[in-house]
Amino acid sequence: MTETRRSPLFNDNRVKLGVMAFNCSHGSTVTTADGAWPMTWEDNRALARMADAAGFEALLPVGRWKGYGGETNFNNRTFESLTWAAGIAAETSHATVFSTIHAPLVHPVAAAKMGATVDHISGGRFALNLVAGWFKNEFDMFGLEMRAHDDRYAYAEEWLSLVKRLWSAAEPFDLDGRFFSGRALWSEPKPLQRPRPAIMNAGSSPAGQAFSAAHADMNFVMLRQKDEGSDRAQIARLKTMAADLGRSSQCWIHGYVVCRPTRREAEDYLHHYVVERGDDVAVANMLDIFGVQSGTLEPAVMDAFRFHFKAGHGGYPLVGAPEDIVEELEQLSDMGVDGLLLSWVDYLGECRQWIEEVMPLMEAAGQRRPFAAEEPAAAKAL
Ligand SMILES: Cc1cc2nc3c(=O)[nH]c(=O)nc-3n(C[C@H](O)[C@H](O)[C@H](O)COP(=O)(O)O)c2cc1C
């Protein structure tokens, strides 16, 4: 099969960039601070276009169906991620546009067609972030039981195999699987990208990591905070697991950004929005669900994470002056991180600041090539 994949996810920038969670109210920050993301379509479009024009590689919505209570009712307003991707695809020309799909909530025949549709709208820039299920309260709205943890990944595996097959099959086929059966299964048009759109997964349990290594092009890792030895080992293990299967997998992380002229000012603002204006009720609700529903976090590390969940949904802190942040990015790159999906309190204002003040330093450090607006977008190249 001829390789026609042009997604910027596979370009040679050492530190690739994306914007994450801007399809949700409050994005990734659990705070009542002024300027927190109210989430309108106009703002989504403006942010996507700004990041796209600056050469960001990825735009990623999270898959979220309801909020977490508290004063913010964090993530209560969310745009659905496939229809979001269709709209964002039409408004952009360079970045890869993701959808985050819960395998049990969308049938693979529908997902294959919807993904292919976004791939055509975007000119070959669709990618799929497949999640197996995390929050029971979301499944309750669909009247669905969450499967036992590892079974979620067995289900996701059959789901994804079927989507991939629908994206490539030259003839209709019958299927008698454990979870899916059907006659004369078929999907046209195929995605523009060959061999297929990129797949991301954020599994972090043993079953999740095994799934990711076997099926994903990118693992979305939750690193332990500032524990370089174990972070490095975690990334190396994930890449080795994929390599042992004859595959290669990128490692991406979520970074929450607080960039100010000085480190002191950045830390002061972080303190303000997390400690003075953080929504403790929403974050307690969220961590309760985590503790019960996912084996990812030990109770002992819960407390350390509480701060980071308010600050940036458990992401990695990028806090300081532009120079501090670029230095931090260098360390992350050295540890094996290939890309970061960023979030801010005030996405529009602070993403602009990132583009104006951090990107030039990243380019000077050789982390990224300067982005030429006329660089062939996937749409034109395919
Ligand atoms: C940065 C990040 C973003 C995630 N986004 C979502 C999401 O949008 N929707 C969802 O249901 N799960 C999401 N997850 C949860 C993961 O898919 C996964 O279930 C979680 O990391 C626990 O791993 P496990 O399923 O292997 O136990 C996310 C995880 C991480 C680390």
Side-chain angles (χ1 to χ4, degrees):
M1 184 182 288
T2 316
E3 171 89 29
T4 58
R5 182 181 278 170
R6 299 290 175 135
S7 164
L9 297 177
F10 301 98
N11 71 20
D12 59 4
N13 283 335
R14 267 196 305 123
V15 183
K16 298 183 227 308
L17 294 173
V19 185
M20 126 157 208
F22 58 113
N23 67 316
C24 305
S25 54
H26 289 86
S28 287
T29 47
V30 192
T31 181
T32 62
D34 299 345
W37 191 237
M39 218 290 289
T40 64
W41 176 250
E42 289 67 31
D43 285 351
N44 267 259
R45 181 172 54 198
L47 180 61
R49 292 176 69 147
M50 185 197 304
D52 187 64
F56 277 56
E57 281 82 7
L59 300 168
L60 182 121
V62 293
R64 196 74 73 235
W65 298 90
K66 69 191 305 188
Y68 296 95
E71 198 179 335
T72 55
N73 203 354
F74 178 70
N75 283 182
N76 185 47
R77 303 179 68 246
T78 57
F79 285 135
E80 185 283 319
S81 84
L82 271 156
T83 43
W84 176 93
I88 293 292
E91 295 287 344
T92 53
S93 59
H94 167 76
T96 294
V97 182
F98 279 83
S99 290
T100 296
I101 301 183
H102 288 83
L105 304 187
V106 185
H107 192 281
V109 173
K113 190 170 271 300
M114 290 192 273
T117 303
V118 178
D119 204 49
H120 281 253
I121 294 171
S122 64
R125 292 181 291 118
F126 174 67
L128 168 60
N129 179 31
L130 187 65
V131 292
W134 208 16
F135 293 142
K136 181 179 179 307
N137 62 349
E138 296 182 330
F139 279 58
D140 286 345
M141 297 206 302
F142 292 80
L144 287 177
E145 286 294 323
M146 280 178 88
R147 292 184 170 77
H149 182 277
D150 289 5
D151 235 19
R152 290 178 213 160
Y153 283 99
Y155 182 93
E157 193 155 15
E158 198 171 311
W159 188 102
L160 187 56
S161 301
L162 177 50
V163 168
K164 286 179 179 173
R165 194 165 170 195
L166 286 161
W167 277 346
S168 61
E171 300 289 339
F173 58 93
D174 293 345
L175 182 70
D176 291 297
R178 177 176 163 205
F179 303 105
F180 300 104
S181 300
R183 304 274 78 82
L185 289 152
W186 181 242
S187 191
E188 272 289 339
K190 308 299 184 204
L192 292 177
Q193 291 174 88
R194 286 281 177 267
R196 56 170 170 71
I199 311 287
M200 180 188 256
N201 173 260
S204 60
S205 58
Q209 289 184 359
F211 172 83
S212 214
H215 299 286
D217 303 294
M218 307 156 75
N219 188 266
F220 198 14
V221 184
M222 192 184 283
L223 295 180
R224 297 200 180 268
Q225 305 297 321
K226 304 273 181 192
D227 179 352
E228 200 200 315
S230 82
D231 288 346
R232 190 181 287 274
Q234 185 182 350
I235 294 167
R237 189 175 60 252
L238 283 161
K239 291 193 174 185
T240 304
M241 282 171 75
D244 286 348
L245 297 169
R247 312 185 66 253
S248 72
S249 181
Q250 296 184 5
C251 164
W252 283 60
I253 64 169
H254 167 209
Y256 63 85
V257 182
V258 188
C259 183
R260 294 292 183 272
T262 64
R263 185 190 287 276
R264 178 67 196 267
E265 286 168 273
E267 285 172 352
D268 285 351
Y269 181 65
L270 178 68
H271 180 86
H272 168 70
Y273 86 77
V274 176
V275 179
E276 294 168 12
R277 303 285 292 271
D279 183 346
D280 291 307
V281 174
V283 97
N285 292 343
M286 191 188 301
L287 290 181
D288 268 358
I289 302 173
F290 265 125
V292 176
Q293 303 306 327
S294 167
T296 308
L297 303 174
E298 299 291 329
V301 296
M302 279 296 210
D303 274 354
F305 266 75
R306 206 173 298 277
F307 183 96
H308 293 288
F309 272 90
K310 282 189 280 179
H313 212 176
Y316 195 91
L318 295 170
V319 180
E323 297 76 13
D324 301 322
I325 288 176
V326 173
E327 206 172 294
E328 186 86 50
L329 294 173
E330 197 58 43
Q331 286 170 24
L332 289 165
S333 171
D334 183 59
M335 280 158 49
V337 171
D338 298 291
L340 293 100
L341 293 163
L342 304 178
S343 65
W344 299 266
V345 173
D346 166 17
Y347 279 94
L348 274 174
E350 295 181 87
C351 182
R352 182 176 303 288
Q353 180 207 14
W354 177 282
I355 292 164
E356 289 172 358
E357 298 177 18
V358 182
M359 294 276 261
L361 300 184
M362 293 181 73
E363 290 163 10
Q367 295 172 355
R368 299 177 60 81
R369 279 183 293 111
F371 180 64
E374 62 279 7
E375 189 171 290
K380 294 170 203 143
L382 283 168

